[in-house]
Amino acid sequence: LIQKAHLFIGIMSGLSHIANAVKTPALIISKQYAHYDYHNPYSGFFEEGKNVKILYYRNSISEINLKLIYTLLDIFFCNQ
């Protein structure tokens, strides 16, 4: 399913690594990692950040709503 998708949207998890492995562009949501403003743990397809956008959220990921996700999709992928 992930390989045939046009876009993967999800949290940083095993599934996001599968999206990377099968070269599916992604919007990945993650809790901010330590003191880093940006941390890309991926190699391969996502390594340079061209095919992935990672949202590091300082609060609980459960507070993210769909309106924010739609806004990010528009900013990250539609305006390129």
Side-chain angles (χ1 to χ4, degrees):
L1 288 173
I2 294 173
Q3 186 173 21
K4 292 184 180 189
H6 294 283
L7 178 69
F8 172 82
I9 302 172
I11 62 170
M12 193 172 295
S13 65
L15 294 176
S16 63
H17 288 276
I18 290 172
N20 183 27
V22 299
K23 299 183 178 179
T24 299
L27 172 61
I28 299 172
I29 304 161
S30 179
K31 183 85 169 145
Q32 187 172 3
Y33 180 71
H35 62 278
Y36 297 102
D37 287 331
Y38 183 80
H39 172 72
N40 184 349
Y42 299 99
S43 60
F45 189 63
F46 291 168
E47 186 170 11
E48 295 179 11
K50 294 178 184 175
N51 301 297
V52 65
K53 301 297 179 191
I54 303 172
L55 166 65
Y56 287 99
Y57 202 66
R58 294 187 176 169
N59 298 325
S60 172
I61 291 174
S62 65
E63 296 175 14
I64 296 174
N65 60 45
L66 283 177
K67 184 176 179 180
L68 175 60
I69 299 299
Y70 290 138
T71 300
L72 291 172
L73 287 171
D74 186 48
I75 291 169
F76 290 152
F77 295 103
C78 298
N79 294 328
Q80 291 184 356

Coordinates of all heavy atoms in Angstrom, one line a residue:
L1 N 0.8 -1.2 0.0 CA 0.0 0.0 0.0 C 0.9 1.3 0.0 O 0.6 2.2 -0.7 CB -0.9 0.0 1.2 CG -2.1 -1.0 1.2 CD1 -2.8 -0.9 2.5 CD2 -3.0 -0.7 0.1
I2 N 1.9 1.3 0.8 CA 2.7 2.5 0.9 C 3.5 2.7 -0.4 O 3.6 3.8 -0.8 CB 3.7 2.4 2.1 CG1 2.9 2.4 3.4 CG2 4.7 3.5 2.1 CD1 3.8 2.1 4.7
Q3 N 3.9 1.7 -1.0 CA 4.7 1.8 -2.3 C 3.8 2.4 -3.4 O 4.3 3.1 -4.2 CB 5.2 0.4 -2.7 CG 6.1 0.5 -3.9 CD 6.8 -0.8 -4.2 OE1 6.3 -1.9 -3.8 NE2 7.8 -0.8 -5.0
K4 N 2.5 2.1 -3.4 CA 1.6 2.6 -4.4 C 1.0 3.9 -4.1 O 0.4 4.5 -4.9 CB 0.5 1.5 -4.6 CG 1.0 0.3 -5.3 CD -0.1 -0.7 -5.6 CE 0.5 -2.0 -6.2 NZ -0.5 -2.9 -6.7
A5 N 1.2 4.4 -2.9 CA 0.7 5.7 -2.5 C 1.4 6.9 -3.1 O 2.6 6.8 -3.5 CB 0.7 5.9 -1.0
H6 N 0.7 8.0 -3.4 CA 1.4 9.2 -3.9 C 2.1 9.9 -2.8 O 3.0 10.7 -3.0 CB 0.3 10.1 -4.5 CG -0.3 9.5 -5.8 ND1 0.4 9.5 -7.0 CD2 -1.5 8.9 -6.0 CE1 -0.4 8.9 -7.9 NE2 -1.5 8.5 -7.3
L7 N 1.6 9.7 -1.5 CA 2.2 10.5 -0.4 C 1.9 9.7 0.9 O 0.8 9.2 1.1 CB 1.5 11.8 -0.3 CG 2.0 12.7 0.9 CD1 3.4 13.1 0.7 CD2 1.1 13.9 1.0
F8 N 2.9 9.6 1.7 CA 2.7 9.0 3.1 C 2.6 10.1 4.1 O 3.4 11.0 4.1 CB 3.9 8.1 3.4 CG 3.9 7.6 4.8 CD1 3.1 6.5 5.2 CD2 4.6 8.2 5.8 CE1 3.1 6.0 6.5 CE2 4.6 7.8 7.1 CZ 3.8 6.7 7.5
I9 N 1.6 10.1 4.9 CA 1.4 11.0 6.0 C 1.3 10.2 7.3 O 0.5 9.3 7.4 CB 0.2 11.9 5.9 CG1 0.2 12.6 4.6 CG2 0.0 12.8 7.1 CD1 -1.1 13.4 4.3
G10 N 2.3 10.5 8.2 CA 2.2 9.7 9.5 C 3.3 10.2 10.4 O 4.0 11.1 10.2
I11 N 3.4 9.5 11.5 CA 4.4 9.8 12.5 C 5.7 9.1 12.2 O 5.7 8.2 11.4 CB 3.9 9.4 13.9 CG1 3.7 7.9 14.0 CG2 2.7 10.1 14.3 CD1 3.5 7.4 15.4
M12 N 6.8 9.6 12.8 CA 8.1 8.9 12.6 C 8.0 7.5 13.3 O 7.9 7.4 14.5 CB 9.2 9.8 13.2 CG 10.6 9.3 12.8 SD 11.9 10.4 13.3 CE 11.5 11.9 12.4
S13 N 8.0 6.5 12.4 CA 7.8 5.1 12.9 C 8.4 4.2 11.9 O 9.0 4.6 10.8 CB 6.3 4.9 13.0 OG 5.7 4.9 11.8
G14 N 8.2 2.9 12.1 CA 8.6 1.9 11.1 C 8.0 2.1 9.8 O 8.6 1.9 8.7
L15 N 6.7 2.6 9.8 CA 6.0 2.8 8.5 C 6.7 3.9 7.7 O 6.7 3.9 6.5 CB 4.5 3.1 8.7 CG 3.7 1.9 9.3 CD1 2.3 2.3 9.6 CD2 3.8 0.7 8.3
S16 N 7.2 5.0 8.4 CA 7.8 6.0 7.7 C 9.1 5.5 7.0 O 9.5 6.0 6.0 CB 8.1 7.2 8.6 OG 8.9 6.9 9.6
H17 N 9.8 4.6 7.7 CA 11.0 4.0 7.1 C 10.7 3.2 5.9 O 11.5 3.1 5.0 CB 11.8 3.3 8.2 CG 12.4 4.1 9.2 ND1 13.7 4.7 9.0 CD2 12.0 4.6 10.4 CE1 14.0 5.5 10.0 NE2 13.0 5.4 10.9
I18 N 9.5 2.5 5.9 CA 9.1 1.8 4.8 C 8.8 2.7 3.6 O 9.2 2.4 2.5 CB 7.9 0.9 5.1 CG1 8.3 -0.2 6.1 CG2 7.2 0.3 3.8 CD1 7.1 -1.0 6.6
A19 N 8.2 3.8 3.9 CA 7.9 4.8 2.8 C 9.3 5.3 2.2 O 9.4 5.4 1.0 CB 7.2 6.0 3.4
N20 N 10.3 5.5 3.0 CA 11.6 5.9 2.6 C 12.2 4.7 1.7 O 12.7 5.0 0.6 CB 12.5 6.1 3.7 CG 13.9 6.6 3.3 OD1 14.1 7.2 2.3 ND2 14.9 6.3 4.2
A21 N 12.1 3.5 2.1 CA 12.6 2.4 1.4 C 12.0 2.2 0.0 O 12.6 1.8 -0.9 CB 12.5 1.1 2.2
V22 N 10.7 2.4 0.0 CA 9.9 2.2 -1.3 C 9.8 3.5 -2.1 O 9.1 3.5 -3.1 CB 8.6 1.5 -1.1 CG1 8.8 0.1 -0.5 CG2 7.6 2.4 -0.3
K23 N 10.4 4.6 -1.7 CA 10.5 5.8 -2.4 C 9.2 6.5 -2.5 O 8.8 7.0 -3.6 CB 11.2 5.7 -3.7 CG 12.6 5.2 -3.5 CD 13.4 5.1 -4.8 CE 14.8 4.7 -4.6 NZ 15.6 4.5 -5.8
T24 N 8.4 6.6 -1.5 CA 7.1 7.3 -1.4 C 7.3 8.6 -0.7 O 7.8 8.6 0.5 CB 6.0 6.5 -0.7 OG1 5.9 5.2 -1.5 CG2 4.7 7.2 -0.7
P25 N 7.1 9.8 -1.4 CA 7.3 11.0 -0.7 C 6.4 11.1 0.6 O 5.4 10.4 0.7 CB 6.7 12.1 -1.7 CG 6.9 11.4 -3.0 CD 6.7 9.9 -2.7
A26 N 6.8 11.9 1.6 CA 6.2 11.8 2.9 C 6.1 13.1 3.6 O 7.0 14.0 3.5 CB 6.9 10.8 3.8
L27 N 5.1 13.3 4.4 CA 5.0 14.3 5.5 C 5.0 13.5 6.8 O 4.0 12.7 7.0 CB 3.7 15.1 5.3 CG 3.4 16.1 6.5 CD1 4.5 17.1 6.6 CD2 2.0 16.7 6.3
I28 N 6.0 13.7 7.6 CA 6.2 12.9 8.8 C 6.1 13.9 10.0 O 6.7 14.9 10.0 CB 7.5 12.2 8.8 CG1 7.5 11.2 7.6 CG2 7.8 11.5 10.1 CD1 8.8 10.6 7.3
I29 N 5.4 13.4 11.0 CA 5.2 14.2 12.2 C 5.9 13.6 13.3 O 5.9 12.4 13.5 CB 3.7 14.3 12.5 CG1 2.9 14.9 11.4 CG2 3.4 15.1 13.8 CD1 1.4 14.6 11.4
S30 N 6.7 14.4 14.1 CA 7.5 13.8 15.1 C 7.6 14.8 16.3 O 7.5 16.0 16.1 CB 8.9 13.6 14.6 OG 9.7 13.1 15.7
K31 N 7.7 14.3 17.5 CA 8.0 15.1 18.6 C 9.4 15.7 18.4 O 10.3 15.1 17.9 CB 8.0 14.3 19.9 CG 8.2 15.0 21.2 CD 6.9 15.6 21.6 CE 7.1 16.1 23.1 NZ 6.4 17.3 23.3
Q32 N 9.6 16.9 18.8 CA 11.0 17.6 18.7 C 12.0 16.7 19.4 O 11.8 16.2 20.5 CB 11.0 19.0 19.2 CG 12.3 19.7 18.9 CD 12.3 21.1 19.3 OE1 11.3 21.6 19.8 NE2 13.3 21.8 19.0
Y33 N 13.1 16.5 18.7 CA 14.1 15.6 19.2 C 15.2 16.4 20.0 O 15.9 17.2 19.4 CB 14.8 14.8 18.0 CG 15.9 13.9 18.5 CD1 15.6 12.7 19.1 CD2 17.2 14.1 18.2 CE1 16.6 11.8 19.5 CE2 18.2 13.3 18.6 CZ 17.9 12.1 19.2 OH 18.9 11.2 19.6
A34 N 15.3 16.1 21.3 CA 16.2 16.7 22.2 C 16.3 18.3 22.0 O 15.2 18.9 22.0 CB 17.6 16.1 22.0
H35 N 17.4 18.8 21.7 CA 17.5 20.3 21.6 C 17.6 20.7 20.1 O 17.8 21.8 19.8 CB 18.8 20.8 22.3 CG 20.0 20.2 21.8 ND1 20.5 18.9 22.2 CD2 21.0 20.6 20.9 CE1 21.6 18.7 21.6 NE2 21.9 19.7 20.8
Y36 N 17.5 19.7 19.2 CA 17.6 20.0 17.7 C 16.3 20.7 17.2 O 15.2 20.3 17.5 CB 17.8 18.7 17.0 CG 19.1 18.0 17.3 CD1 19.0 16.8 18.1 CD2 20.3 18.4 16.8 CE1 20.2 16.2 18.4 CE2 21.4 17.7 17.1 CZ 21.4 16.6 17.9 OH 22.5 15.9 18.2
D37 N 16.5 21.7 16.4 CA 15.4 22.3 15.7 C 15.0 21.4 14.5 O 13.8 21.3 14.1 CB 15.8 23.7 15.1 CG 15.8 24.7 16.3 OD1 15.1 24.5 17.3 OD2 16.6 25.6 16.1
Y38 N 16.0 20.7 13.9 CA 15.7 19.8 12.8 C 16.7 18.6 12.9 O 17.9 18.8 13.1 CB 15.9 20.5 11.5 CG 15.6 19.7 10.3 CD1 14.2 19.5 9.9 CD2 16.5 19.0 9.6 CE1 13.9 18.7 8.8 CE2 16.2 18.2 8.5 CZ 14.9 18.0 8.1 OH 14.6 17.2 7.1
H39 N 16.1 17.5 12.8 CA 16.9 16.2 12.8 C 16.3 15.3 11.8 O 15.1 14.9 11.9 CB 16.9 15.6 14.2 CG 17.5 14.3 14.3 ND1 18.8 14.1 14.2 CD2 16.9 13.1 14.5 CE1 19.1 12.8 14.3 NE2 18.0 12.2 14.5
N40 N 17.1 14.9 10.8 CA 16.6 13.9 9.8 C 17.3 12.6 10.0 O 18.5 12.5 9.7 CB 16.8 14.5 8.4 CG 16.3 13.5 7.3 OD1 15.9 12.4 7.6 ND2 16.3 14.0 6.1
P41 N 16.6 11.6 10.6 CA 17.3 10.3 10.8 C 17.3 9.4 9.6 O 17.7 8.2 9.8 CB 16.4 9.7 11.9 CG 15.0 10.2 11.6 CD 15.3 11.6 11.1
Y42 N 16.9 9.9 8.5 CA 16.8 9.0 7.3 C 18.0 9.1 6.4 O 18.6 10.1 6.3 CB 15.5 9.4 6.5 CG 14.2 9.2 7.3 CD1 13.6 10.3 7.9 CD2 13.7 8.0 7.5 CE1 12.5 10.2 8.6 CE2 12.5 7.9 8.2 CZ 11.9 9.0 8.8 OH 10.8 8.8 9.5
S43 N 18.2 8.0 5.7 CA 19.2 8.0 4.6 C 18.4 7.6 3.4 O 17.2 7.5 3.4 CB 20.3 6.9 4.9 OG 19.7 5.7 5.0
G44 N 19.1 7.5 2.3 CA 18.4 7.0 1.0 C 17.5 8.1 0.5 O 17.9 9.3 0.4
F45 N 16.3 7.8 0.1 CA 15.3 8.6 -0.6 C 15.0 9.9 0.2 O 14.8 11.0 -0.4 CB 14.1 7.8 -0.9 CG 13.1 8.5 -1.8 CD1 13.4 8.8 -3.1 CD2 11.8 8.8 -1.3 CE1 12.4 9.4 -3.9 CE2 10.8 9.4 -2.1 CZ 11.2 9.7 -3.4
F46 N 15.0 9.8 1.5 CA 14.6 11.0 2.3 C 15.9 11.8 2.8 O 15.7 12.8 3.4 CB 13.9 10.6 3.6 CG 12.5 10.1 3.3 CD1 11.8 9.4 4.4 CD2 11.9 10.2 2.1 CE1 10.5 9.0 4.2 CE2 10.6 9.7 1.9 CZ 9.9 9.1 2.9
E47 N 17.1 11.3 2.5 CA 18.3 11.8 3.1 C 18.5 13.3 2.9 O 18.8 14.0 3.9 CB 19.5 11.1 2.5 CG 20.8 11.5 3.2 CD 21.9 10.6 2.8 OE1 21.8 9.8 1.8 OE2 23.0 10.7 3.4
E48 N 18.3 13.8 1.7 CA 18.5 15.3 1.5 C 17.3 16.1 1.8 O 17.3 17.3 1.7 CB 18.9 15.5 0.0 CG 20.3 14.8 -0.3 CD 20.7 15.0 -1.7 OE1 20.1 15.8 -2.4 OE2 21.6 14.4 -2.1
G49 N 16.2 15.5 2.2 CA 15.0 16.3 2.6 C 14.1 16.7 1.4 O 13.2 17.4 1.6
K50 N 14.5 16.3 0.2 CA 13.7 16.7 -1.0 C 12.4 16.0 -1.1 O 11.4 16.5 -1.6 CB 14.5 16.5 -2.3 CG 15.8 17.3 -2.4 CD 16.5 17.0 -3.7 CE 17.8 17.7 -3.7 NZ 18.6 17.3 -4.9
N51 N 12.3 14.8 -0.6 CA 11.1 14.0 -0.8 C 10.4 13.8 0.5 O 9.5 13.0 0.6 CB 11.5 12.6 -1.4 CG 12.2 12.8 -2.7 OD1 11.6 13.2 -3.6 ND2 13.5 12.4 -2.8
V52 N 10.8 14.5 1.5 CA 10.2 14.4 2.8 C 10.1 15.7 3.5 O 11.1 16.5 3.4 CB 10.9 13.3 3.7 CG1 12.3 13.8 4.1 CG2 10.1 13.0 5.0
K53 N 9.1 16.0 4.2 CA 9.0 17.1 5.1 C 8.7 16.6 6.5 O 7.8 15.8 6.6 CB 7.9 18.1 4.7 CG 8.1 18.6 3.3 CD 9.3 19.4 3.1 CE 9.5 19.9 1.7 NZ 10.8 20.5 1.4
I54 N 9.5 17.0 7.4 CA 9.3 16.5 8.8 C 8.8 17.7 9.7 O 9.5 18.7 9.7 CB 10.6 15.9 9.4 CG1 11.1 14.8 8.5 CG2 10.3 15.4 10.8 CD1 12.5 14.2 8.8
L55 N 7.7 17.5 10.3 CA 7.1 18.5 11.2 C 7.6 18.1 12.6 O 7.2 17.0 13.1 CB 5.6 18.5 11.1 CG 4.9 19.3 12.3 CD1 5.3 20.8 12.3 CD2 3.4 19.1 12.2
Y56 N 8.4 18.9 13.2 CA 8.8 18.6 14.6 C 7.9 19.5 15.5 O 7.9 20.7 15.4 CB 10.3 19.0 14.8 CG 11.1 18.0 14.2 CD1 11.7 18.2 13.0 CD2 11.4 16.8 14.8 CE1 12.5 17.2 12.4 CE2 12.2 15.8 14.2 CZ 12.7 16.0 13.0 OH 13.5 15.1 12.4
Y57 N 7.1 18.8 16.3 CA 6.1 19.5 17.1 C 6.6 19.5 18.6 O 7.0 18.4 19.1 CB 4.8 18.8 17.0 CG 3.6 19.6 17.3 CD1 3.2 20.7 16.5 CD2 2.8 19.3 18.4 CE1 2.1 21.5 16.8 CE2 1.7 20.1 18.7 CZ 1.4 21.1 17.9 OH 0.3 21.9 18.2
R58 N 6.6 20.6 19.2 CA 7.1 20.7 20.6 C 6.1 20.2 21.6 O 6.5 19.7 22.7 CB 7.4 22.2 20.9 CG 8.6 22.6 20.1 CD 9.2 23.9 20.4 NE 10.3 24.1 19.6 CZ 11.0 25.2 19.4 NH1 10.6 26.3 20.1 NH2 12.0 25.3 18.7
N59 N 4.8 20.3 21.3 CA 3.8 19.8 22.2 C 3.5 18.4 21.9 O 4.1 17.8 21.1 CB 2.5 20.7 22.1 CG 2.8 22.1 22.5 OD1 3.6 22.4 23.4 ND2 2.2 23.1 21.9
S60 N 2.4 17.9 22.5 CA 2.0 16.5 22.3 C 1.5 16.4 20.8 O 0.8 17.2 20.3 CB 0.9 16.1 23.2 OG 0.4 14.9 22.9
I61 N 2.0 15.3 20.2 CA 1.5 15.1 18.8 C 0.0 14.9 18.7 O -0.6 15.3 17.7 CB 2.3 13.8 18.2 CG1 3.7 14.2 18.0 CG2 1.6 13.4 16.9 CD1 4.6 13.0 17.6
S62 N -0.6 14.5 19.8 CA -2.1 14.3 19.8 C -2.8 15.6 19.7 O -4.0 15.6 19.4 CB -2.5 13.6 21.1 OG -2.2 14.4 22.2
E63 N -2.1 16.7 19.9 CA -2.8 18.1 19.7 C -2.8 18.6 18.3 O -3.4 19.6 18.0 CB -2.0 19.1 20.6 CG -2.1 18.8 22.1 CD -1.2 19.8 22.9 OE1 -0.8 20.8 22.4 OE2 -1.0 19.5 24.1
I64 N -2.2 17.9 17.4 CA -2.1 18.3 16.0 C -3.5 18.0 15.4 O -4.0 16.9 15.5 CB -1.0 17.6 15.2 CG1 0.3 18.0 15.8 CG2 -1.1 17.9 13.7 CD1 1.5 17.3 15.2
N65 N -4.1 19.0 14.7 CA -5.4 18.8 14.1 C -5.2 18.7 12.5 O -4.2 19.1 12.0 CB -6.4 19.9 14.5 CG -5.9 21.3 14.1 OD1 -5.5 21.5 13.0 ND2 -6.0 22.2 15.0
L66 N -6.3 18.3 11.9 CA -6.3 18.2 10.4 C -6.1 19.5 9.7 O -5.5 19.5 8.6 CB -7.6 17.5 10.0 CG -7.7 16.0 10.2 CD1 -9.0 15.5 9.7 CD2 -6.6 15.3 9.4
K67 N -6.6 20.6 10.3 CA -6.4 21.9 9.6 C -4.9 22.2 9.5 O -4.4 22.6 8.4 CB -7.1 23.0 10.4 CG -7.0 24.3 9.7 CD -7.8 25.4 10.5 CE -7.6 26.7 9.8 NZ -8.4 27.8 10.5
L68 N -4.1 21.9 10.5 CA -2.7 22.1 10.5 C -2.0 21.2 9.4 O -1.2 21.6 8.6 CB -2.0 21.8 11.8 CG -0.5 21.9 11.9 CD1 0.0 23.3 11.5 CD2 0.0 21.5 13.3
I69 N -2.5 19.9 9.3 CA -1.9 19.0 8.3 C -2.2 19.5 6.9 O -1.4 19.5 6.1 CB -2.5 17.6 8.6 CG1 -2.1 17.0 9.9 CG2 -2.0 16.6 7.4 CD1 -0.6 16.9 10.2
Y70 N -3.5 19.9 6.7 CA -3.8 20.4 5.3 C -3.0 21.7 5.0 O -2.5 21.8 3.9 CB -5.3 20.8 5.3 CG -6.2 19.6 5.3 CD1 -7.4 19.6 6.0 CD2 -5.9 18.4 4.6 CE1 -8.2 18.5 6.0 CE2 -6.7 17.3 4.6 CZ -7.9 17.3 5.3 OH -8.7 16.2 5.3
T71 N -2.8 22.5 5.9 CA -2.0 23.7 5.7 C -0.5 23.3 5.4 O 0.1 23.9 4.4 CB -2.0 24.7 7.0 OG1 -3.3 25.0 7.2 CG2 -1.1 25.9 6.7
L72 N 0.0 22.4 6.1 CA 1.4 21.9 5.8 C 1.5 21.3 4.4 O 2.5 21.5 3.7 CB 1.9 21.0 6.9 CG 2.1 21.6 8.2 CD1 2.3 20.5 9.3 CD2 3.2 22.6 8.2
L73 N 0.5 20.5 4.1 CA 0.5 19.9 2.7 C 0.5 21.0 1.7 O 1.3 20.8 0.7 CB -0.7 19.0 2.6 CG -0.7 17.7 3.4 CD1 -2.0 17.0 3.3 CD2 0.4 16.8 2.8
D74 N -0.3 22.0 1.8 CA -0.3 23.1 0.9 C 1.1 23.8 0.8 O 1.6 24.0 -0.3 CB -1.4 24.1 1.2 CG -1.6 25.1 0.2 OD1 -1.6 24.8 -1.0 OD2 -1.6 26.3 0.5
I75 N 1.6 24.1 1.9 CA 2.9 24.8 2.0 C 4.0 23.9 1.4 O 4.8 24.4 0.6 CB 3.2 25.2 3.4 CG1 2.3 26.3 3.9 CG2 4.7 25.7 3.5 CD1 2.4 26.6 5.4
F76 N 4.1 22.7 1.9 CA 5.3 21.9 1.5 C 5.2 21.3 0.1 O 6.2 21.1 -0.6 CB 5.4 20.7 2.5 CG 5.8 21.2 3.9 CD1 5.5 20.4 5.0 CD2 6.6 22.3 4.0 CE1 5.9 20.8 6.2 CE2 7.0 22.7 5.3 CZ 6.7 22.0 6.4
F77 N 4.0 20.9 -0.4 CA 4.0 20.2 -1.6 C 3.3 20.9 -2.8 O 3.7 20.7 -3.9 CB 3.3 18.8 -1.4 CG 4.0 17.9 -0.4 CD1 3.7 17.8 0.9 CD2 5.2 17.3 -0.9 CE1 4.4 17.0 1.8 CE2 5.9 16.5 0.0 CZ 5.5 16.3 1.3
C78 N 2.3 21.7 -2.5 CA 1.6 22.4 -3.6 C 2.3 23.6 -4.1 O 2.1 24.0 -5.2 CB 0.2 22.7 -3.1 SG -0.8 21.3 -2.7
N79 N 3.1 24.3 -3.3 CA 3.7 25.5 -3.7 C 5.2 25.3 -4.2 O 5.9 26.3 -4.2 CB 3.7 26.5 -2.5 CG 2.3 26.9 -2.2 OD1 1.4 27.0 -3.1 ND2 2.0 27.2 -0.9
Q80 N 5.5 24.2 -4.6 CA 6.9 23.9 -5.0 C 7.0 24.2 -6.5 O 6.2 24.1 -7.3 CB 7.3 22.5 -4.7 CG 7.5 22.3 -3.3 CD 8.0 20.8 -3.0 OE1 8.2 20.0 -3.9 NE2 8.3 20.6 -1.7

